[in-house]
Amino acid sequence: MASEKSREVYKELLKKGFPEELCTEIAYKHMNTDYTAGRMLGYLYRISDPSVEMVVDEMLAILEDRKRFIRKHENEQAQAALNRIYQRGLD
């Protein structure tokens, strides 16, 4: 089930005149978390007349930021585990 923010992204894209198929793809397939949908909504509210290319480019940038954040979090967890091993040993 889609989040409220994803539905809001869908409605906002439709208001801007984008094809329904594109709106569905962006809102429900790619901007399907509160974080990504919120970022896209911020973009859509700021830009008055975006092109398809501009919206897709922003979507890709948001997804790349999310991937970078996830990798950073995973690396921090791995480093914390290594620090525990250094401090306490393997026992």
Side-chain angles (χ1 to χ4, degrees):
M1 184 169 174
S3 73
E4 183 61 36
K5 284 192 178 191
S6 291
R7 286 190 291 273
E8 198 173 334
V9 168
Y10 177 79
K11 290 175 189 173
E12 195 61 35
L13 288 167
L14 281 177
K15 276 194 238 177
K16 300 241 184 233
F18 293 107
E20 189 174 337
E21 186 177 310
L22 178 66
C23 298
T24 300
E25 179 82 13
I26 290 173
Y28 299 127
K29 185 173 180 185
H30 299 290
M31 303 288 105
N32 57 2
T33 66
D34 283 346
Y35 174 78
T36 56
R39 292 265 317 266
M40 181 56 82
L41 284 170
Y43 175 76
L44 292 172
Y45 292 150
R46 284 190 315 271
I47 304 298
S48 58
D49 191 25
S51 66
V52 170
E53 292 83 7
M54 291 169 64
V55 171
V56 170
D57 187 52
E58 183 65 18
M59 178 191 72
L60 293 172
I62 291 168
L63 292 173
E64 185 59 35
D65 283 350
R66 184 171 182 270
K67 284 181 195 175
R68 192 177 4 255
F69 175 78
I70 290 169
R71 280 193 306 265
K72 179 180 181 270
H73 185 70
E74 290 169 347
N75 289 338
E76 288 171 350
Q77 288 180 330
Q79 187 62 51
L82 283 173
N83 288 344
R84 281 191 301 274
I85 290 170
Y86 290 146
Q87 291 171 356
R88 300 179 192 154
L90 291 173
D91 297 327

